[in-house]
Amino acid sequence: MNAADPQGGRPGDLPVLLPFALPKDRAAARLRPAHLWLLTGLALVAVPAWAQGGTAALSPLEVVIKWAPLLLTGFAFNVAISLMAMAIGTVAGIGLGLAMLAEGRILPRLAWCATQVFRNVPWLVLLFFVMFLVPFQITVFGIRVPLPDWVKATFGFSLPVMANVAEIVRGAVRSVPNTQWEAAESLAFTRRQTMWRIILPQCAKRMLPPWMNVYSLIAMATVQASIVGVTEMLTLTAQVHAAEGGRPELFAPLYGFALLCFFLYCYPIDRFTAALERRFETR
């Protein structure tokens, strides 16, 4: 082959022995404007995707700080449930305790049976009992009143509070010396007057420490409402953990934050209760 080679070799060289080289017209076609626009578009799509995928995960402390306002909102809901359950249970418990001290046979026995039942049944069982047997709405004078889950949970927690407060009232009244009853009887006081004017005022300071102890217990027990679907702090903690990808290293910080909130709320109550017990014990 003496003809000039199209790849630029010398006359007489075999084409298979020459190095590979693209034709000049094909090399010029590699950088067309359309290709530049295509590469630019791919870069616009790829860079954000890379940036998103390459973002480092938040540290456990950063996760707790990020979700702390939401978790504290759930904790405030726990406190609200405990306060409402304590108010309802206290009013009902005082009535039940006085019924156990009433004269006659039927009413004290019925009150005693109700107290023993609600006092010796697990709180979670009472909660399930109320959640699944109480309807989701009631009709009062033709008006439908909805009963959301948190209302039923509050009522469920008020039942053990009622039983414990009733026992506190009964024990406080029984602890008053009999001379107080005898003195009131000698002054021609009726039984009702003796109870409301002489006995119960003396029982207030005796009932306060155990009553606060019951409140501390009910405040910690409100986390059981998460089992029946109430959106309180423990429920929100589980949802936050799922939202952060379910990372195992977040279990201890998130649930530790819940532990810290309940401890900071209940520990002062416990100390104040102990101080009241010491103060009333010396008198």
Side-chain angles (χ1 to χ4, degrees):
M1 291 185 183
N2 297 324
D5 189 82
Q7 298 183 5
R10 294 175 300 179
D13 293 340
L14 295 174
V16 296
L17 299 178
L18 297 175
F20 177 79
L22 290 174
K24 293 182 178 178
D25 55 345
R26 292 182 59 184
R30 292 174 60 183
L31 296 177
R32 291 180 178 175
H35 295 167
L36 294 177
W37 284 109
L38 179 61
L39 292 175
T40 304
L42 291 175
L44 292 176
V45 175
V47 169
W50 173 82
Q52 185 176 4
T55 301
L58 296 177
S59 66
L61 180 60
E62 291 174 332
V63 171
V64 172
I65 294 175
K66 174 185 175 183
W67 295 102
L70 178 64
L71 297 178
L72 290 176
T73 302
F75 178 69
F77 196 53
N78 283 86
V79 174
I81 290 177
S82 65
L83 291 175
M84 289 186 290
M86 200 67 193
I88 297 172
T90 299
V91 173
I94 291 175
L96 191 63
L98 294 178
M100 284 195 293
L101 298 170
E103 295 180 335
R105 293 184 177 180
I106 298 178
L107 183 59
R109 290 184 179 181
L110 291 177
W112 181 85
C113 291
T115 301
Q116 298 306 315
V117 168
F118 292 121
R119 192 164 178 259
N120 296 286
V121 173
W123 294 9
L124 187 59
V125 174
L126 289 176
L127 187 60
F128 273 105
F129 181 82
V130 173
M131 292 296 294
F132 295 109
L133 292 184
V134 174
F136 64 93
Q137 67 177 13
I138 57 175
T139 303
V140 180
F141 300 110
I143 301 174
R144 292 183 178 179
V145 180
L147 296 175
D149 289 341
W150 68 270
V151 172
K152 292 191 286 186
T154 301
F155 182 69
F157 285 123
S158 67
L159 294 177
V161 172
M162 175 190 68
N164 284 279
V165 170
E167 193 65 23
I168 290 172
V169 171
R170 189 194 66 81
V173 172
R174 292 295 186 192
S175 67
V176 176
N178 290 330
T179 54
Q180 299 287 327
W181 293 91
E182 295 171 357
E185 186 177 359
S186 65
L187 294 174
F189 278 87
T190 64
R191 181 177 177 83
R192 178 176 299 178
Q193 291 173 335
T194 304
M195 182 68 73
W196 288 100
R197 295 184 180 182
I198 299 176
I199 302 301
L200 288 181
Q202 298 182 58
C203 292
K205 64 179 183 181
R206 302 167 189 262
M207 293 187 292
L208 189 57
W211 180 81
M212 293 179 63
N213 192 25
V214 171
Y215 174 69
S216 181
L217 293 175
I218 202 69
M220 291 184 287
T222 53
V223 295
Q224 297 178 4
S226 64
I227 301 176
V228 293
V230 178
T231 308
E232 45 74 58
M233 186 173 196
L234 213 60
T235 305
L236 292 176
T237 302
Q239 293 177 357
V240 167
H241 182 258
E244 290 294 332
R247 295 155 53 194
E249 66 270 19
L250 295 180
F251 269 116
L254 289 175
Y255 286 94
F257 182 71
L259 183 150
L260 181 64
C261 291
F262 278 96
F263 175 78
L264 293 178
Y265 183 72
C266 294
Y267 183 72
I269 298 175
D270 178 73
R271 293 294 86 198
F272 188 53
T273 303
L276 288 178
E277 289 178 348
R278 288 194 298 271
R279 179 180 179 183
F280 294 148
E281 186 180 7
T282 56
R283 291 186 177 182

